[in-house]
């Protein structure tokens, strides 16, 4: 199975559980903010933790909150928060509200360093819920029953772009996620587990691409199948591949095990690094011409 970093599991499990306990004279922040470099497995591991704990999750993405079709994003958050409370009550299990990539949606500050209206609404609503988690009302209605307290987890890249009062200690507990060497080994070994790649090869692979984020290794594994997919397209024909794969009556083709030897893994990895560099160069050229 996939690997969860022990510290990651602890931090999430403690935050969630604490929010369901009644600790004497202890103020527990409602929100846990998991931040760190993109592609290092924050959202992925959140899901693994929820699955391990067998708890209910209500998902939101900040992109969806910031979308012009979102309507009132404050209302949407309140709605989902209350929905999580219902879910907790009906299923008799803990529930959490997860907002992925929060800074991608609402942390964006435009050229005039003005927050958009939606951004302000989202920040305001989250602060409000964090301050009165058992009294979360929908606009235009009043429910005298207390609302179930639901821990909120947000993930993001750079919390310095968020409105500081939201990130304040009383409201948000912060966890900076950066996998250690052991975590990276464990995670990458998990990614290649079904392929039975030797432990020593995993170590060399991780050592060789030490500054790459975790998603690089997931992408690398997926790349290994590209050669077979290319062959499949050639065999069936580019004009017929669509019909064959989507509504063909024949079973889908089976793929043989790609070449998982270390030398091949390194070769594919190097090719990916070259592509990253090309994008980097193009970006530099573009900046130069601005
Ligand atoms: P972040 O939220 O930090 O930007 P993600 O959680 O989206 O990063 O992770 C990026 C990708 O890396 C995932 O889609 C998955 O393919 C891979 N990945 C991350 N963590 C793990 C893990 N523990 N086990 C296996 N794959 C992982």
């Amino acid at each position: 199975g996939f690997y969860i970093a022990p510290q990651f599991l602890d931090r999430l499990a403690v935050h969630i559980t604490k929010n369901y306990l009644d600790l004497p004279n202890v103020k527990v922040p409602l929100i846990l903010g998991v931040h760190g470099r993109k592609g290092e497995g924050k959202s992925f591991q959140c899901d693994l933790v929820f699955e391990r704990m067998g708890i209910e999750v209500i998902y939101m993405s900040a992109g969806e909150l910031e979308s012009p079709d979102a309507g009132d994003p404050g209302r949407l958050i309140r709605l989902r928060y209350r929905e999580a409370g219902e879910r907790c009550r009906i299923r008799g299990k803990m529930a959490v509200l997860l907002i992925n990539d929060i800074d991608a949606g609402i942390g964006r500050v435009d050229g005039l360093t003005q927050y958009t209206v939606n951004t302000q609404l989202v920040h305001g609503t989250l602060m409000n819920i964090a301050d009165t988690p058992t009294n979360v009302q929908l606009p235009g209605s009043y429910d005298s029953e207390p609302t179930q307290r639901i821990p909120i987890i947000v993930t993001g890249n750079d919390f310095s772009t968020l409105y500081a009062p939201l990130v304040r200690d009383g409201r948000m507990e912060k966890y900076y996620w950066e996998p250690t060497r052991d975590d990276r080994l464990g995670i990458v070994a998990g990614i290649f587990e079904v392929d039975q790649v030797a432990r020593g090869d995993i170590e060399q692979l991780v050592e060789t691409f030490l500054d790459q984020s975790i998603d690089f290794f997931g992408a690398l594994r997926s790349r290994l199948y590209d050669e077979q997919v290319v062959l499949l397209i050639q065999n069936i024909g580019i004009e017929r591949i669509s019909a064959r794969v989507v509504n063909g009556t024949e079973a889908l083709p089976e793929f043989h095990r790609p070449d998982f030897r270390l030398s091949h893994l390194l070769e594919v990895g190097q090719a990916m690094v070259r592509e990253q560099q090309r994008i980097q160069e193009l970006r530099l050229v573009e900046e130069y011409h601005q």
Side-chain angles (χ1 to χ4, degrees):
F2 289 124
Y3 173 96
I4 315 177
Q7 200 207 22
F8 197 98
L9 178 65
D10 274 5
R11 286 297 292 267
L12 260 74
V14 168
H15 177 80
I16 296 165
T17 307
K18 252 173 110 178
N19 267 285
Y20 280 95
L21 297 175
D22 201 3
L23 297 170
N25 297 318
V26 176
K27 193 173 180 309
V28 180
L30 189 74
I31 307 173
L32 173 68
V34 186
H35 59 129
R37 191 158 73 130
K38 263 201 151 327
E40 292 283 34
K42 293 181 291 296
S43 353
F44 197 86
Q45 289 192 103
C46 282
D47 286 338
L48 293 178
V49 171
F50 303 148
E51 209 185 305
R52 174 86 73 92
M53 296 180 72
I55 63 183
E56 297 287 322
V57 197
I58 302 278
Y59 293 94
M60 309 197 71
S61 79
E64 141 191 44
L65 292 172
E66 182 66 338
S67 145
D69 321 317
D72 175 357
R75 185 189 151 80
L76 191 58
I77 296 174
R78 287 165 183 277
L79 202 65
R80 294 274 169 85
Y81 183 87
R82 292 180 57 105
E83 202 179 307
E86 272 302 286
R87 195 81 82 82
C88 170
R89 201 177 56 78
I90 293 168
R91 303 259 164 94
K93 284 181 186 166
M94 289 176 175
V96 295
L97 184 67
L98 180 72
I99 308 181
N100 268 321
D101 282 327
I102 189 155
D103 53 334
I106 67 166
R108 224 184 315 103
V109 174
D110 71 21
L112 301 164
T113 60
Q114 272 199 344
Y115 289 101
T116 64
V117 175
N118 275 12
T119 297
Q120 287 181 31
L121 286 170
V122 170
H123 277 110
T125 305
L126 285 175
M127 288 195 285
N128 218 253
I129 296 177
D131 293 342
T132 57
T134 54
N135 183 15
V136 175
Q137 303 289 343
L138 291 177
S141 60
Y142 188 79
D143 185 355
S144 56
E145 288 284 303
T147 326
Q148 167 67 48
R149 182 187 178 103
I150 296 291
I152 301 177
I153 296 177
V154 303
T155 70
N157 185 214
D158 180 4
F159 283 0
S160 69
T161 61
L162 298 180
Y163 184 49
L166 173 65
V167 185
R168 231 186 50 193
D169 284 335
R171 296 188 173 118
M172 186 189 292
E173 169 131 357
K174 271 80 64 188
Y175 175 33
Y176 182 70
W177 165 244
E178 194 179 28
T180 63
R181 193 177 164 280
D182 278 352
D183 292 330
R184 299 172 71 78
L185 280 177
I187 294 173
V188 176
I191 292 175
F192 288 98
E193 193 182 71
V194 288
D195 313 312
Q196 295 174 321
V197 176
R199 186 68 184 191
D201 289 355
I202 295 290
E203 279 174 23
Q204 288 221 39
L205 184 66
V206 171
E207 279 318 319
T208 308
F209 302 107
L210 214 49
D211 52 354
Q212 294 290 341
S213 54
I214 295 299
D215 58 357
F216 175 85
F217 298 95
L220 197 163
R221 184 175 184 280
S222 157
R223 272 299 178 87
L224 296 175
Y225 284 88
D226 285 9
E227 289 161 13
Q228 291 181 59
V229 178
V230 166
L231 279 180
L232 176 77
I233 297 172
Q234 279 173 3
N235 287 342
I236 296 191
I238 192 92
E239 303 84 4
R240 296 178 46 227
I241 188 75
S242 163
R244 169 70 179 81
V245 170
V246 176
N247 45 22
T249 43
E250 290 166 83
L252 279 179
E254 286 190 17
F255 295 97
H256 63 79
R257 186 174 184 275
D259 180 1
F260 283 106
R261 277 173 302 181
L262 179 63
S263 57
H264 190 228
L265 297 180
L266 294 179
E267 191 183 302
V268 173
Q270 303 292 6
M272 290 170 61
V273 171
R274 280 195 297 278
E275 274 163 33
Q276 289 175 349
Q277 285 164 346
R278 226 164 278 145
I279 291 172
Q280 210 58 22
E281 282 158 18
L282 287 175
R283 196 171 290 149
L284 287 178
V285 169
E286 208 160 276
E287 272 165 26
Y288 176 82
H289 285 296
Q290 266 173 10

